[in-house]
Amino acid sequence: MVKGHFHAGCSTTEEASVRQHLATLGLKAPSSAEAVKRAFRSLALKYHPDKRPDDQTRSADFQRIKDAYDALTAAGLA
Protein backbone atom coordinates (compact mmCIF):
# COMPACT_ATOMS: atom_id res chain seq x y z
CA MET A 1 0.00 0.00 0.00
CA VAL A 2 1.26 3.44 -0.87
CA LYS A 3 1.63 5.54 2.27
CA GLY A 4 -0.84 8.36 2.45
CA HIS A 5 -3.32 7.10 -0.14
CA PHE A 6 -5.95 4.40 -0.28
CA HIS A 7 -4.79 1.80 -2.77
CA ALA A 8 -7.07 -0.42 -4.84
CA GLY A 9 -4.68 -3.35 -4.39
CA CYS A 10 -5.82 -3.92 -0.81
CA SER A 11 -7.64 -7.09 0.20
CA THR A 12 -11.42 -6.89 0.20
CA THR A 13 -11.60 -7.03 4.01
CA GLU A 14 -8.92 -4.38 4.41
CA GLU A 15 -10.58 -2.26 1.74
CA ALA A 16 -13.95 -2.45 3.51
CA SER A 17 -12.36 -1.57 6.82
CA VAL A 18 -10.55 1.43 5.35
CA ARG A 19 -13.73 2.60 3.63
CA GLN A 20 -15.67 2.27 6.91
CA HIS A 21 -13.08 4.28 8.83
CA LEU A 22 -12.98 6.94 6.12
CA ALA A 23 -16.78 7.15 6.20
CA THR A 24 -16.64 7.65 9.98
CA LEU A 25 -14.53 10.73 9.28
CA GLY A 26 -16.90 11.84 6.51
CA LEU A 27 -14.50 10.95 3.70
CA LYS A 28 -14.51 8.66 0.65
CA ALA A 29 -11.66 6.72 -0.94
CA PRO A 30 -9.27 7.79 -2.22
CA SER A 31 -8.38 10.30 0.48
CA SER A 32 -5.00 11.84 1.14
CA ALA A 33 -3.28 11.71 4.50
CA GLU A 34 -3.80 15.46 4.79
CA ALA A 35 -7.56 15.09 4.21
CA VAL A 36 -7.75 12.38 6.89
CA LYS A 37 -5.89 14.56 9.40
CA ARG A 38 -7.99 17.61 8.58
CA ALA A 39 -11.26 15.66 8.95
CA PHE A 40 -10.13 14.13 12.24
CA ARG A 41 -9.13 17.48 13.72
CA SER A 42 -12.41 19.07 12.71
CA LEU A 43 -14.55 16.26 14.14
CA ALA A 44 -12.39 15.94 17.25
CA LEU A 45 -12.96 19.60 18.07
CA LYS A 46 -16.68 19.27 17.43
CA TYR A 47 -17.22 16.08 19.47
CA HIS A 48 -14.58 16.39 22.18
CA PRO A 49 -16.14 15.44 25.55
CA ASP A 50 -14.68 18.53 27.22
CA LYS A 51 -17.00 20.68 25.10
CA ARG A 52 -20.06 19.19 26.86
CA PRO A 53 -19.00 17.06 29.84
CA ASP A 54 -22.61 16.20 30.72
CA ASP A 55 -23.34 14.68 27.27
CA GLN A 56 -22.28 11.01 27.25
CA THR A 57 -23.03 10.61 23.53
CA ARG A 58 -20.26 13.11 22.80
CA SER A 59 -17.77 10.85 24.52
CA ALA A 60 -18.91 7.81 22.51
CA ASP A 61 -18.85 9.78 19.24
CA PHE A 62 -15.39 11.13 20.00
CA GLN A 63 -14.10 7.63 20.79
CA ARG A 64 -15.51 6.29 17.50
CA ILE A 65 -13.82 9.12 15.58
CA LYS A 66 -10.53 8.57 17.41
CA ASP A 67 -10.63 4.81 16.77
CA ALA A 68 -11.19 5.40 13.04
CA TYR A 69 -8.29 7.85 12.90
CA ASP A 70 -6.02 5.50 14.84
CA ALA A 71 -6.85 2.62 12.47
CA LEU A 72 -6.18 4.78 9.41
CA THR A 73 -2.91 5.95 10.95
CA ALA A 74 -1.86 2.35 11.61
CA ALA A 75 -2.68 1.53 7.99
CA GLY A 76 -0.39 4.36 6.86
CA LEU A 77 -3.20 6.58 5.60
CA ALA A 78 -2.71 9.46 8.00
Side-chain angles (χ1 to χ4, degrees):
M1 183 178 314
V2 177
K3 183 175 173 67
H5 290 287
F6 174 78
H7 190 269
C10 300
S11 71
T12 305
T13 305
E14 183 181 349
E15 214 175 288
S17 178
V18 167
R19 288 182 191 278
Q20 180 181 4
H21 293 310
L22 287 171
T24 298
L25 297 179
L27 301 171
K28 292 182 182 179
S31 290
S32 69
E34 187 58 39
V36 171
K37 289 176 188 176
R38 196 173 29 244
F40 170 72
R41 287 183 188 131
S42 174
L43 291 170
L45 285 172
K46 180 177 180 180
Y47 289 101
H48 198 281
D50 287 348
K51 295 278 185 175
R52 290 194 179 164
D54 57 326
D55 187 352
Q56 291 301 313
T57 59
R58 289 271 177 167
S59 182
D61 290 338
F62 178 79
Q63 189 61 51
R64 187 174 46 82
I65 293 162
K66 184 181 177 313
D67 290 345
Y69 180 73
D70 289 345
L72 292 169
T73 299
L77 297 173

